[in-house]
Amino acid sequence: MTIPPDPKRVLIFDTTLRDGEQSPGISLNTAEKLEIAQQLSRLGVDVIEAGFPITSRGDFEAVQEIARNVEGPIVTGLARTHAEDIDAAYQAVRDAERPRIHTFVSTSDIHITHQLQTTREDVEGQARAAVAHARGYLDDVEFSPMDATRADVEFTARVCRIAIEEGATTVNIPDTVGYTMPHEYAAYLRRLYELVPELRDVVLSVHCHDDLGLAVANSFAGVLAGARQVECAVNGIGERAGNASLEEIAMLLHTRQPDVGLHTGIVTTEIARTSRLVSRLTGYPVQPNKAVVGRNAFAHESGIHQDGVLKERTTYEIMDARTVGLEANAIVLGKHSGRHALQQALEDLGFPVSGQALNQAFRRFKEIADRKKQVTAMDLEALVTDELRDDLGAYSLEWFDVEASSRRPPHATVGITTPDGEERTGSFTGDGPVDAIFRAINAAAEADARLREFRVDAVTGGQDALGEVSVVTETGGWTASGQGVSTDILEAAGRAYVRALSTARRRARLDAERAEAQLAQAP
Amino acid sequence: MTIPPDPKRVLIFDTTLRDGEQSPGISLNTAEKLEIAQQLSRLGVDVIEAGFPITSRGDFEAVQEIARNVEGPIVTGLARTHAEDIDAAYQAVRDAERPRIHTFVSTSDIHITHQLQTTREDVEGQARAAVAHARGYLDDVEFSPMDATRADVEFTARVCRIAIEEGATTVNIPDTVGYTMPHEYAAYLRRLYELVPELRDVVLSVHCHDDLGLAVANSFAGVLAGARQVECAVNGIGERAGNASLEEIAMLLHTRQPDVGLHTGIVTTEIARTSRLVSRLTGYPVQPNKAVVGRNAFAHESGIHQDGVLKERTTYEIMDARTVGLEANAIVLGKHSGRHALQQALEDLGFPVSGQALNQAFRRFKEIADRKKQVTAMDLEALVTDELRDDLGAYSLEWFDVEASSRRPPHATVGITTPDGEERTGSFTGDGPVDAIFRAINAAAEADARLREFRVDAVTGGQDALGEVSVVTETGGWTASGQGVSTDILEAAGRAYVRALSTARRRARLDAERAEAQLAQAP
């Protein structure tokens, strides 16, 4: 990969599945990651960072599945400078149409001294060896000097020059801790260009975090300074306050294209749906006032604004909601809709299903259609992603009974199936009906999980809306999340809780693997 | 009010109660607005925009209550250029320690032509008359040319010059539709300074919206260009994608002070609590990855980051969570805590209560303490704000019974008291237990509200967490929100729903008043 032929084209590098998945409480399984990657391909991103293959067998497998199955974007995996990291990244991405290896090492003294506990000279050597090793496998190699914005720009320039000498085709300058300011970041990049003129022969990339609310503005300042790749995540998820929001940077370049003259390959009408999918699978809500994808981003409340919009839309709107794919979902099914109509609707939504998967989806669809008059595209999305979550080796909730009242403590009885296929029941009294169900599930599963976070969202509007419950549990110091969808909040809560138990079980296995890979040990 | 003596001091103008309260579904009553204003005073904001007094009697009263009771900040009310708007704003703020009138008129041709349906000359005349009229009442007058960033800068300059001639002491340049970019906004302000040198004799202010994710960056660019007042809102709420986030701009200036050399009067340790209060009273959640105040803004998940932070905190952290008031809540009460301990704890939290209010708070506290082992400061905050919501003329939920099961439709029976003091019961079967409760309440209240949004948050962590339910209902085209707090999700949902019914009733009255005031009619 060299500079794209069109100098006005900004590449969108999506790190939802790598930096985004590093957010606390998020643990996506392979099926979920693949589903998000397929949607990112429909969205038109240029690069998918699918994971960090060395960190666990689960991470490795997910990157490999995405590399093998997702068409369109470049697929990359992250690697420290260690040879075994790069070997793992290569093995994971090698089957992609267009594979990339992304390797990084810190150039800030604070990281070099305290975390890596090494010297600048050693960092130079690590960068040289890593890029050379990666280029031995692939022509497309990205290099990132981590924490560059807090590093000496001259030293960072030296390391970038080495990476380019060894064949790096993209050089990414991360604001790892979200510390920089737009004018400062632009000046830093301009200085790098002065110190390393050969940066003009590769793609310069930006990677900004939102700790001070400036991730999008810093990324944009970088683009105006010459960067042609932006690393970002859907809904702005990621470590701490997250990465630059993909949808904000894309709509900024789109809306201000007449003035700025740059464009991306993003299919803007897929933005809303991508946002919903990522929110649903990660359990991370989008606040109503979030730019572009918040439910009120296009709503007008004050009399003056409503009056203006009625007279002329552009008085208070700079974007049309339809541009980001809101109000575009015309599909509506009902209880009399057949298996074929469901299959067609799911295909229109980008979920080709048949055979056993279709049978199972149809069974869930009928259950919901019996309770809801109209099943919309958003309901179907929720149901399909809900079904995706059931995988092997998981607990499942078979039935429950709850009595709740303001006049006596609530009581719940549940029946579950364990990962080994065993059927068990449990009963408990709780502080509330949800608490009672969770304790009853704990009793049935002989688990000691504790609830840390609990969230319910209506998937669609209306009295008969599907509700989605997201929970974060803690078991032995590890957090795990689970989601469940139903018109019945207690059923959704129960489904979410057993999934969190299943995730916790999976995480415990990953943890053991990661310990084996000795991730935390500095080189 | 003239230029503050310290040229490095940036004034924080909080519009949570005006632009923020214009967000769809938010309808704060006077007690809630007063509570937020008191907290804004503790937070150290310089100006509180308390509302838009002409729009309804409720708005007027809330501004007046805040002006009369909140010490510290300047209190202002918004007014169009109409004489009656300015009269109302003056009457509402006149009793404040330091009152201000804030008047505005659009200078963009798109607004002048389509919304105001008038001419540039008329706009000049309106600005002149309005500022002169306001200065007849008060020495502190702010003027805003609405939609300035899409307006001809020379015409906007002409209008600003007129406002300053007539005595405006603050001139605010709004990016009303969230369209501008940092470099463009800075250039616009620099051009205004060139065209209107007398702008240097007043406070230049910025007011940015987040439609393209740039509100904080644009505000910051404005400050670097010379502005010394930033208009912003807690949690970034406001029309559409909202205003610049107060907490982000404050922590940006705080964190980068050594480099930027500017400061604010914000007491940063009050930030987290202010964010929670506003989120709770407005029903607007804060997403986990929100900068500064999201629950994960200070969390580290990846092995590499955790390893780094354990070795040296600053490797991956640029702010300390304690600086924004997280992890500062040491108060813990239990079921054996007495009335005096509760009173003391509430006072420490800034809620001085006694007499009947204390009795009622103590009764609720005991109910919760019976179900929860430890009642924390965050629980108390939630309970107190929950109690604040009960006002006269409201429905209340007295009791409920629910049976829910995966094997038959859920059924609910409720008892409520109507605003007229009448006791009624209702029974209904629903799609889920929450739906059943809501339908039963509708039946008891003879209401036809429909659920539009539904949300549940855990106030604190742990299995016995207090849950807070927020609902948005629709009745005859109007939306209304309500919140309820309990360890029992069904009880919290029921409390939230009856409050939404009460809010809808209040809104219907406000609507009638606003129609009377003919808000939507252009001058």
Side-chain angles (χ1 to χ4, degrees), chain B residues 3 27 76 87 187 203 215 258 285 298 330 341 350 394 402 410 444 459 484 509:
Chain B
I3 278 268
S27 173
T76 189
D87 295 341
V203 175
F298 294 91
V402 175
V459 171
R509 287 205 310 269

Side-chain angles (χ1 to χ4, degrees), chain A residues 403-432:
Chain A
E403 282 172 38
S405 165
S406 52
R407 303 188 269 205
R408 58 192 173 275
H411 186 81
T413 308
V414 302
I416 65 165
T417 305
T418 69
D420 308 321
E422 203 182 325
E423 291 188 12
R424 294 204 206 144
T425 61
S427 257
F428 229 93
T429 296
D431 295 326

Side-chain angles (χ1 to χ4, degrees), chain A residues 22 24 52 104 110-111 114-115 117 146 150 176-181 183-184 210-214 217 220 224 235-237 239-241 248 251-252 255-256 259-260 284-292 295-297 299-305 307-308 311-312 314-316 318-319 371 399-408 431 433-435 438-439 449-458 461-464 487-490 507 519-520, chain B residues 22 24 52 80 104 110-111 114-115 146 150 176-181 183-184 210-214 217 220 224 235-237 239-241 248 251-252 255-256 259-260 284-292 295-297 299-305 307-308 311-312 314-316 318-319 371 399-408 431 433-435 438-439 449-458 461-464 487-490 507 519-520:
Chain A
Q22 281 176 210
F52 195 166
F104 72 98
I110 186 170
H111 278 201
H114 295 290
Q115 180 162 34
Q117 299 174 348
M146 179 149 86
R150 291 194 301 174
T176 304
V177 295
Y179 184 68
T180 198
M181 305 176 279
H183 61 284
E184 184 184 62
D210 204 37
D211 297 73
L212 297 174
L214 295 173
F220 183 54
L224 295 180
N235 300 336
I237 62 173
E239 282 281 349
R240 305 181 316 277
E248 293 177 11
M251 288 310 294
L252 168 58
T255 306
R256 299 308 308 266
D259 304 281
V260 176
Y284 264 45
V286 170
Q287 64 196 30
N289 52 318
K290 166 80 174 62
V292 182
R295 71 159 193 260
N296 291 335
H300 301 276
E301 178 77 356
S302 85
I304 289 175
H305 286 209
D307 172 58
K311 285 175 177 158
E312 164 62 39
T314 57
T315 50
Y316 291 93
I318 58 171
M319 290 177 280
R371 302 190 224 173
W399 55 266
F400 67 88
D401 287 309
V402 175
E403 282 172 38
S405 165
S406 52
R407 303 188 269 205
R408 58 192 173 275
D431 295 326
V434 172
D435 184 44
F438 290 173
R439 288 174 191 265
R450 292 181 58 81
L451 186 68
R452 278 191 45 181
E453 305 281 345
F454 180 80
R455 187 170 65 88
V456 187
D457 287 302
Q463 194 91 18
D464 59 357
T487 57
D488 179 334
I489 194 170
L490 298 179
R507 280 207 89 129
L519 172 70
Chain B
Q22 281 176 210
F52 196 167
R80 287 167 305 177
F104 72 97
I110 188 169
H111 277 202
H114 294 291
Q115 179 163 35
M146 179 149 84
R150 291 194 302 173
T176 305
V177 295
Y179 184 67
T180 199
M181 304 175 279
H183 61 284
E184 185 184 62
D210 204 38
D211 296 75
L212 297 175
L214 295 173
F220 183 53
L224 295 180
N235 300 337
I237 63 173
E239 281 280 350
R240 305 182 315 278
E248 293 178 11
M251 287 309 293
L252 168 58
T255 306
R256 300 307 309 266
D259 305 280
V260 176
Y284 264 45
V286 170
Q287 63 196 30
N289 52 318
K290 166 81 173 62
V292 181
R295 73 161 192 259
N296 291 335
H300 302 275
E301 178 77 357
S302 84
I304 290 175
H305 287 210
D307 171 59
K311 286 174 177 158
E312 163 62 40
T314 57
T315 50
Y316 292 93
I318 58 171
M319 291 177 279
R371 302 190 224 173
W399 55 265
F400 66 89
D401 287 307
V402 175
E403 282 171 39
S405 165
S406 51
R407 302 187 271 205
R408 58 192 174 275
D431 294 327
V434 172
D435 184 45
F438 290 174
R439 288 173 193 266
R450 292 180 59 80
L451 186 69
R452 278 190 45 179
E453 305 281 346
F454 180 78
R455 187 170 66 88
V456 187
D457 286 301
Q463 193 92 17
D464 58 357
T487 57
D488 179 334
I489 193 170
L490 298 178
R507 281 208 87 129
L519 171 69

Side-chain angles (χ1 to χ4, degrees), chain B residues 220-468:
Chain B
F220 183 53
V223 166
L224 295 180
R228 286 296 175 268
Q229 177 179 285
V230 176
E231 303 197 0
C232 47
V234 176
N235 300 337
I237 63 173
E239 281 280 350
R240 305 182 315 278
N243 291 270
S245 286
L246 183 150
E247 61 279 7
E248 293 178 11
I249 194 81
M251 287 309 293
L252 168 58
L253 292 172
H254 179 85
T255 306
R256 300 307 309 266
Q257 187 176 350
D259 305 280
V260 176
L262 300 172
H263 62 274
T264 71
I266 293 297
V267 180
T268 61
T269 49
E270 289 290 330
I271 286 177
R273 186 171 148 202
T274 312
S275 167
R276 289 194 299 266
L277 178 71
V278 169
S279 177
R280 191 166 294 143
L281 290 181
T282 58
Y284 264 45
V286 170
Q287 63 196 30
N289 52 318
K290 166 81 173 62
V292 181
V293 293
R295 73 161 192 259
N296 291 335
F298 294 91
H300 302 275
E301 178 77 357
S302 84
I304 290 175
H305 287 210
Q306 288 178 347
D307 171 59
V309 169
L310 290 176
K311 286 174 177 158
E312 163 62 40
R313 192 185 64 76
T314 57
T315 50
Y316 292 93
E317 272 188 23
I318 58 171
M319 291 177 279
D320 186 327
R322 286 166 296 186
T323 312
V324 300
L326 286 167
E327 306 168 12
N329 289 309
I331 301 167
V332 177
L333 300 177
K335 62 196 294 186
H336 302 299
S337 303
R339 191 177 309 252
H340 183 69
L342 177 68
Q343 186 175 26
Q344 186 59 50
L346 291 174
E347 254 184 51
D348 290 350
L349 287 170
F351 303 108
V353 288
S354 57
Q356 186 52 34
L358 178 60
N359 289 341
Q360 196 169 334
F362 190 65
R363 190 176 53 74
R364 270 310 294 284
F365 164 72
K366 277 298 192 187
E367 279 173 28
I368 297 298
D370 278 345
R371 302 190 224 173
K372 258 179 87 71
K373 271 189 229 113
Q374 298 190 319
V375 179
T376 67
M378 280 169 72
D379 291 326
L380 288 179
E381 270 180 43
L383 289 178
V384 171
T385 51
D386 195 47
E387 286 299 323
L388 276 174
R389 291 170 186 140
D390 277 327
D391 58 351
L392 295 173
Y395 295 95
S396 69
L397 177 69
E398 303 300 337
W399 55 265
F400 66 89
D401 287 307
V402 175
E403 282 171 39
S405 165
S406 51
R407 302 187 271 205
R408 58 192 174 275
H411 187 80
T413 308
V414 303
I416 66 165
T417 306
T418 70
D420 308 321
E422 203 181 325
E423 291 187 13
R424 294 202 207 147
T425 60
S427 257
F428 229 93
T429 297
D431 294 327
V434 172
D435 184 45
I437 279 206
F438 290 174
R439 288 173 193 266
I441 291 171
N442 265 0
E446 295 173 5
D448 63 346
R450 292 180 59 80
L451 186 69
R452 278 190 45 179
E453 305 281 346
F454 180 78
R455 187 170 66 88
V456 187
D457 286 301
V459 171
T460 43
Q463 193 92 17
D464 58 357
L466 281 185
E468 172 157 274

Side-chain angles (χ1 to χ4, degrees), chain A residues 463-487:
Chain A
Q463 194 91 18
D464 59 357
L466 281 186
E468 172 157 273
V469 171
S470 306
V471 299
V472 178
T473 60
E474 185 177 325
T475 321
W478 277 99
T479 59
S481 66
Q483 297 80 32
V485 174
S486 172
T487 57

Side-chain angles (χ1 to χ4, degrees), chain A residues 251 254-255 268-269 292 298 313-314 317-327:
Chain A
M251 288 310 294
H254 178 86
T255 306
T268 61
T269 49
V292 182
F298 295 91
R313 192 185 62 78
T314 57
E317 273 187 24
I318 58 171
M319 290 177 280
D320 185 328
R322 284 167 297 186
T323 312
V324 299
L326 286 168
E327 305 167 14

